[in-house]
């Protein structure tokens, strides 16, 4: 998927999620599959409107539907369930704009990580201990990170819970595990927020410095790209900025000369 | 801000960001303030369309405009700059739906953190060492986390860079710092992605367990809420689920009795 494709996808995803009823439908379906009639009752929205929203969600791969025989001998009815995984993240600040978006189907990321890894699939399973068949789908995806003690602790606990047959014990353990996962995610969120504050301040310093050094747009764009990618390759810079290579080279010479001799 | 207000805000934010030209405008403005005419040229979009988008962005507090005297004696022209910070995060999976959204103006979060902290503002500055006046705005906001060595290392480096007067050194240091911040954020993203995979699998276990235990919607909702919040307070559960307290109590009795005696 090229960066351009991703841009187009993000537009679509955001326009789908912008609608609060569609977000509410996704939340409900993440707890259990559902029929339009049920959703209509639970959300207090007309069945016609629900059908419209489900159509949008299905066309954009958020949900899928399967036909189910009616138990009262009526026509078969459609039951909806969530389909893909999306993580969307947008950070906006006076000196920061960053958007991230990834989507993957069940095994895709697993395969990709195994392909990129030096260690074979079997070897990874061996290293990390027995993984129950039922857990493979989602949990194996996280294997390469399990040198991290927080993650490994959660994985082991999850394996125990999957094998637990006493409902009472199982519910109690699930409660504790949910809390532990949430705590871990919150800790990470806090650290990320603080890194963003530091990034925002660093970007401010970069923008101020660049406005001191350079006068025109090409120079500014060139310096920004240089600082953020640390490359002076004229071919790369020319392609990224859509500016002729000869101009890039001339501008680079000028900037390098200026920076070498300039004191604040 | 009540949870309901936040819901409304997120709809608006997403509908603003859904438009790729508006996202591109925010990206440009995060690098430098800009005039509509400049933006129109850079983005190759008519000035009329740019004005429309800027109006939407301004009405929703993404940007603000200030009037600037024209240097050619013409009428004053408006210059636009980004205003608020937003972090938007939405995670969607077959068994997961979670949205997060926070927004804050410059000192708000700083104040809040200081208010919630046991340690006084002055004491925190003392503990963390001298903070330059210029840096206070953004960096002080991150102070309470600086027991974390990764963050503290970045803060110290940033202080040095702010005080650096040699442009050559400054650019080199900024390049390294940008890279270090990005690496830190990437590490965190990877861990978070894996926690989400574990959370998704845990939620699947919860949903399966609940569908084994309970038949009707109230029971299901009650069990889900109980596992995720770990509370049995009938008042809280009644309010959250919008179900009468007597029904909650009856259902709780039934569920507790069932769970205590049931084996898988």
């Amino acid at each position: 998927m090229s960066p351009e494709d991703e841009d187009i996808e993000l537009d679509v995803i955001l326009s789908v999620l912008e609608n609060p009823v569609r977000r509410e439908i996704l939340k409900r379906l993440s707890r259990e599959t559902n029929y339009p009639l049920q959703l209509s009752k639970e959300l207090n929205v007309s069945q016609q409107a629900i059908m419209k929203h489900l159509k949008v969600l299905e066309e954009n791969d958020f949900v899928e539907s399967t036909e189910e025989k009616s138990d009262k001998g009526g026509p078969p009815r459609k039951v909806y369930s969530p389909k893909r995984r999306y993580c969307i993240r947008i950070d906006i600040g006076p000196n920061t704009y960053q958007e991230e978006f990834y989507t993957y189907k069940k095994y895709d990321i697993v395969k990709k990580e195994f392909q990129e890894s030096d260690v074979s699939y079997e070897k990874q399973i061996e290293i990390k201990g027995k993984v129950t068949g039922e857990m493979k789908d989602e949990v194996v995806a996280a294997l390469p990170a399990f040198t991290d003690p927080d993650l490994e602790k959660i994985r082991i606990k999850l394996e125990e819970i999957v094998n637990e047959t006493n409902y009472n014990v199982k519910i109690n353990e699930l409660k504790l595990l949910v809390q532990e996962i949430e705590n871990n995610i919150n800790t990470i969120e806090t650290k990320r927020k603080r890194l963003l504050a530091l990034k925002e301040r660093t970007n401010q310093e970069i923008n101020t410095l660049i406005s001191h050094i350079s006068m025109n747009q090409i120079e500014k764009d060139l310096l920004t790209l240089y600082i953020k990618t640390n490359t002076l390759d004229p071919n790369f810079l020319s392609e990224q900025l859509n500016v002729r290579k000869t101009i890039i080279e001339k501008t680079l010479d000028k900037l390098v000369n200026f920076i070498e001799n300039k004191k604040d």
Side-chain angles (χ1 to χ4, degrees), chain A residues 25-188:
Chain A
I25 291 176
L26 285 172
K27 201 185 280 181
R28 302 266 163 166
L29 293 183
S30 79
R31 296 216 299 259
E32 61 175 345
T33 59
N34 230 323
Y35 308 101
L37 185 62
Q38 262 174 296
L39 287 168
S40 164
K41 279 182 198 160
E42 286 175 26
L43 302 182
N44 202 17
V45 171
S46 79
Q47 210 181 337
Q48 199 186 1
I50 292 284
M51 285 308 298
K52 257 193 207 164
H53 288 309
L54 283 171
K55 196 171 168 233
V56 173
L57 288 169
E58 194 170 14
E59 281 170 355
N60 291 291
D61 268 347
F62 280 86
V63 304
E64 59 192 347
S65 62
T66 41
E67 297 229 322
E68 217 177 57
K69 267 190 196 161
S70 169
D71 37 333
K72 286 169 191 152
R77 51 185 192 170
K78 275 187 175 179
V79 55
Y80 287 82
S81 51
K83 195 176 168 193
R84 288 164 81 184
R85 299 166 194 217
Y86 295 96
C87 300
I88 294 140
R89 195 148 315 175
I90 305 174
D91 300 311
I92 300 173
N95 295 278
T96 303
Y97 182 91
Q98 190 171 332
E99 53 187 45
E100 269 177 285
F101 156 61
Y102 32 88
T103 169
Y104 49 92
K105 290 181 193 166
K106 261 192 169 178
Y107 272 107
D108 289 9
I109 196 156
V110 190
K111 277 189 209 148
K112 196 168 170 295
E113 286 190 350
F114 282 140
Q115 280 158 3
E116 284 167 7
S117 160
D118 287 340
V119 184
S120 74
Y121 180 96
E122 290 74 19
K123 192 72 193 163
Q124 289 194 40
I125 302 226
E126 193 187 307
I127 291 167
K128 299 300 173 189
K130 199 181 141 281
V131 178
T132 61
E134 210 185 334
M135 286 175 64
K136 263 187 193 161
D137 293 16
E138 288 83 7
V139 175
V140 167
L143 272 178
F146 286 177
T147 44
D148 184 312
D150 301 331
L151 294 173
E152 184 60 7
K153 196 177 152 204
I154 291 168
R155 188 189 69 81
I156 290 170
K157 196 75 225 159
L158 185 48
E159 262 206 30
E160 285 170 16
I161 292 174
V162 168
N163 293 321
E164 178 58 57
T165 53
N166 182 314
Y167 275 31
N168 203 3
V169 174
K170 197 162 186 159
I171 287 176
N172 275 319
E173 297 290 341
L174 279 169
K175 262 171 19 197
L176 292 173
L177 191 65
V178 164
Q179 200 50 58
E180 189 172 342
I181 293 173
E182 286 305 325
N183 288 347
N184 267 287
I185 290 177
N186 287 341
T187 305
I188 275 182

Side-chain angles (χ1 to χ4, degrees), chain A residues 134-249:
Chain A
E134 210 185 334
M135 286 175 64
K136 263 187 193 161
D137 293 16
E138 288 83 7
V139 175
V140 167
L143 272 178
F146 286 177
T147 44
D148 184 312
D150 301 331
L151 294 173
E152 184 60 7
K153 196 177 152 204
I154 291 168
R155 188 189 69 81
I156 290 170
K157 196 75 225 159
L158 185 48
E159 262 206 30
E160 285 170 16
I161 292 174
V162 168
N163 293 321
E164 178 58 57
T165 53
N166 182 314
Y167 275 31
N168 203 3
V169 174
K170 197 162 186 159
I171 287 176
N172 275 319
E173 297 290 341
L174 279 169
K175 262 171 19 197
L176 292 173
L177 191 65
V178 164
Q179 200 50 58
E180 189 172 342
I181 293 173
E182 286 305 325
N183 288 347
N184 267 287
I185 290 177
N186 287 341
T187 305
I188 275 182
E189 289 297 330
T190 305
K191 185 167 178 179
R192 193 177 184 278
K193 238 192 270 184
R194 280 164 189 160
L195 281 167
L196 279 180
L198 289 163
K199 183 178 164 179
E200 166 70 20
R201 183 63 185 82
T202 306
N203 283 339
Q204 186 187 325
E205 200 60 25
I206 292 172
N207 292 339
T208 309
L209 183 68
I210 287 173
S211 69
H212 282 172
I213 293 178
S214 56
M215 310 296 281
N216 69 49
Q217 201 54 44
I218 293 176
E219 286 180 12
K220 282 179 185 172
D221 290 347
L222 197 60
L223 266 172
T224 307
L225 198 60
Y226 168 58
I227 292 173
K228 297 200 173 170
T229 64
N230 195 18
T231 175
L232 281 172
D233 175 12
N235 290 319
F236 171 81
L237 296 169
S238 162
E239 204 184 294
Q240 288 289 312
L241 299 174
N242 200 20
V243 170
R244 265 185 299 138
K245 200 178 145 186
T246 49
I247 299 180
I248 294 284
E249 285 169 332

